[in-house]
Amino acid sequence: GEEVAQTPKHLVRGEGQKAKLYCAPIKGHSYVFWYQQVLKNEFKFLISFQNENVFDETGMPKERFSAKCLPNSPCSLEIQATKLEDSAVYFCASSQSLGLAGINEQFFGPGTRLTVL
Amino acid sequence: QQQVKQSPQSLIVQKGGISIINCAYENTAFDYFPWYQQFPGKGPALLIAIRPDVSEKKEGRFTISFNKSAKQFSLHIMDSQPGDSATYFCAAPNSGYSTLTFGKGTMLLVSP
């Protein structure tokens, strides 16, 4: 599609429960990025993919967070055993290409608001 | 990771005035500096971006000014309108362009 799609729009979980978020990048875009935006508007990078391969995972809290981008499926971000501090809006973005010769614009989805109670 | 420092945190401008938001970065190696606009409840959207081979880029009422020696770039919104009220983020890529580091955002309110 022409827009990044994210589902669900809202997700409520009790502390300790699992949360799974989905992202469908723009068709033809090879790169997918996940960001966490907390209440004070700050964006925290989590992970990026080049097609189905992890590109950069330096921002991922590896103990509880995992992500995948499999062929012909939406990308997913999963949080095992959610904590209160995981409450945030999670944005997915996609990009056609990267680097000096590429188009660097990241197109963002509408986000998934996760509330952990 | 590249740090991007953005100021001011919030800004109130009268309709028709000029809004100016500033960003400073640390790493001189990279050359793509976008500004994103975010409305409440929405994802950020690219507004305008600059490469440091030029000192200024203008698109409509929006202008980026770039000062490579000072490692600073700024967004100017001319003839600010109430519809410009949003949060603005500057950003810069890290090594390999595998992520963008965002500034902390500037909440702009344009009063009628």
Side-chain angles (χ1 to χ4, degrees):
Chain A
E2 293 298 318
E3 295 181 340
V4 176
Q6 289 189 249
T7 56
K9 192 171 183 179
H10 300 282
L11 191 57
V12 180
R13 289 289 179 266
E15 203 170 8
Q17 291 185 316
K18 183 174 73 175
K20 195 164 186 178
L21 292 61
Y22 297 92
C23 167
I26 293 172
K27 191 176 180 181
H29 282 195
S30 302
Y31 295 87
V32 171
F33 306 81
W34 285 98
Y35 295 89
Q36 180 193 57
Q37 187 178 34
V38 295
L39 288 176
K40 290 191 174 180
N41 284 331
E42 292 188 42
F43 283 93
K44 179 189 173 187
F45 166 73
L46 295 175
I47 190 169
S48 57
F49 288 85
Q50 180 180 11
N51 297 311
E52 63 267 26
N53 303 306
V54 174
F55 192 42
D56 184 338
E57 58 181 348
T58 53
M60 283 287 269
K62 292 182 181 176
E63 301 80 31
R64 298 183 297 110
F65 285 60
S66 62
K68 293 179 185 177
C69 277
L70 300 176
N72 303 313
S73 297
C75 295
S76 64
L77 175 69
E78 188 167 347
I79 309 172
Q80 302 284 343
T82 53
K83 296 183 177 181
L84 296 176
E85 68 238 35
D86 299 331
S87 295
V89 181
Y90 291 82
F91 286 101
C92 171
S94 70
S95 180
Q96 184 174 350
S97 59
L98 299 178
L100 295 177
I103 301 170
N104 292 290
E105 180 176 359
Q106 292 187 20
F107 292 82
F108 282 76
T112 293
R113 180 175 293 279
L114 173 64
T115 302
V116 181
L117 303 174
Chain B
Q1 191 171 12
Q2 170 141 270
Q3 298 298 314
V4 179
K5 295 182 180 178
Q6 183 172 348
S7 62
Q9 191 173 8
S10 62
L11 183 61
I12 300 175
V13 173
Q14 286 199 330
K15 181 181 174 181
I18 302 173
S19 305
I20 302 174
I21 305 170
N22 301 298
C23 275
Y25 63 98
E26 295 179 352
N27 192 322
T28 58
F30 298 101
D31 65 352
Y32 172 71
F33 298 97
W35 283 92
Y36 281 81
Q37 179 188 55
Q38 185 180 27
F39 293 104
K42 304 291 185 183
L46 181 68
L47 188 63
I48 187 172
I50 196 168
R51 294 192 184 276
D53 52 352
V54 297
S55 59
E56 185 175 283
K57 182 175 181 180
K58 186 175 181 179
E59 291 184 0
R61 296 184 295 108
F62 301 92
T63 300
I64 298 180
S65 297
F66 189 82
N67 186 331
K68 192 170 183 177
S69 61
K71 295 187 287 185
Q72 294 177 343
F73 57 109
S74 59
L75 175 69
H76 292 65
I77 306 175
M78 311 301 287
D79 187 26
S80 298
Q81 298 297 311
D84 297 330
S85 298
T87 301
Y88 293 81
F89 294 89
C90 61
N94 75 330
S95 173
Y97 290 82
S98 62
T99 181
L100 287 175
T101 297
F102 286 84
K104 293 188 177 182
T106 296
M107 294 180 68
L108 171 66
L109 176 64
V110 180
S111 59

